[in-house]
Amino acid sequence: MLEELWFNVHYGINHVLDINAYDHVLFLIVLTVPFMFKDWKRVFLLVSMFTLGHTLSLILATYGAVKVSADIVEFLIPASILIAALFNVFTSGKGAQKEKIGLLFITTLFFGLIHGLGFAREFKLLVGGDDNKLLALLEFALGIEIAQIIIVFIVLFLGYLTQTLFRFTKRDWIMVVSAIVVGLVIPMLLNSPLLQ
């Protein structure tokens, strides 16, 4: 029982921190970069909304309630990261993350749903015919949340360092990081099966 719990939590952590599938990390970076440590509650809620969406789509796909073409999902994942990064570029320094917080929560939930669909096939193979799929899903979600909190902490810490030690303005920090993510995600988007 405890061994299974650890396996699923560990699997969730690895799912986020997998260096070969860094789309999850890129999304977390663009989600977190506009915020500072003092905004930790808001960031934690946003990340939890993403986990909720991710878990919900995994539940729906695992139980066969939703079926979406893998090609569409492979296109939507980098597209969602690109949209979030461009939102940061066009709104940095304008306080949009505070004004439009409801929209940000709904959008983050939607992006979580898309990213969860991208992992659904692999997760179905993992749980197979297991009777306790829901428990495995929740343990996996816990692993995702732990890994996301690690990434968020690193992004917030780097933001703090660059803005205090290196005297970057908050606007420049958001612009530079978001632009780097745009540069990384465009090839992912162009290489998606839908555009081939």
Side-chain angles (χ1 to χ4, degrees):
M1 180 72 185
L2 197 61
E3 200 175 291
E4 251 179 70
L5 167 77
W6 172 240
F7 175 82
N8 291 326
V9 170
H10 190 256
Y11 199 76
I13 292 170
N14 286 342
H15 169 64
V16 175
L17 301 179
D18 182 1
I19 196 73
N20 297 317
Y22 53 91
D23 56 330
H24 205 128
V25 173
L26 291 180
F27 186 77
L28 286 170
I29 290 169
V30 293
L31 191 65
T32 308
V33 77
F35 299 100
M36 311 209 36
F37 275 117
K38 64 181 172 59
D39 306 312
W40 71 269
K41 286 180 188 170
R42 182 170 289 169
V43 177
F44 180 74
L45 283 171
L46 276 170
V47 166
S48 297
M49 288 301 283
F50 185 82
T51 305
L52 178 68
H54 197 280
T55 305
L56 188 60
S57 61
L58 277 178
I59 289 169
L60 293 172
T62 302
Y63 286 98
V66 170
K67 196 168 186 153
V68 180
S69 159
D71 290 355
I72 292 171
V73 173
E74 290 299 313
F75 172 79
L76 287 175
I77 289 173
S80 69
I81 299 166
L82 183 64
I83 290 165
L86 290 174
F87 176 78
N88 285 349
V89 168
F90 290 113
T91 61
S92 66
K94 295 182 180 142
Q97 280 75 16
K98 287 182 179 70
E99 294 164 18
K100 308 261 191 272
I101 197 69
L103 178 67
L104 203 54
F105 277 98
I106 292 165
T107 308
T108 304
L109 178 67
F110 176 71
F111 290 164
L113 288 166
I114 292 167
H115 287 243
L117 288 172
F119 187 66
R121 193 179 323 125
E122 187 180 332
F123 189 79
K124 274 203 270 192
L125 290 173
L126 172 73
V127 292
D130 192 351
D131 294 335
N132 226 343
K133 289 178 189 164
L134 191 58
L135 183 62
L137 268 162
L138 295 175
E139 292 165 353
F140 178 73
L142 176 63
I144 286 175
E145 193 73 1
I146 291 167
Q148 289 184 154
I149 289 167
I150 293 167
I151 299 292
V152 164
F153 179 81
I154 291 168
V155 174
L156 291 174
F157 181 69
L158 290 174
Y160 173 78
L161 276 184
T162 55
Q163 290 170 63
T164 54
L165 207 60
F166 301 111
R167 300 281 183 229
F168 263 57
T169 65
K170 185 177 178 184
R171 182 182 178 278
D172 288 347
W173 166 244
I174 296 167
M175 292 284 280
V176 168
V177 173
S178 298
I180 290 169
V181 172
V182 167
L184 290 170
V185 85
I186 285 175
M188 288 168 66
L189 196 58
L190 296 174
N191 291 327
S192 66
L194 207 62
L195 297 182
Q196 294 300 308

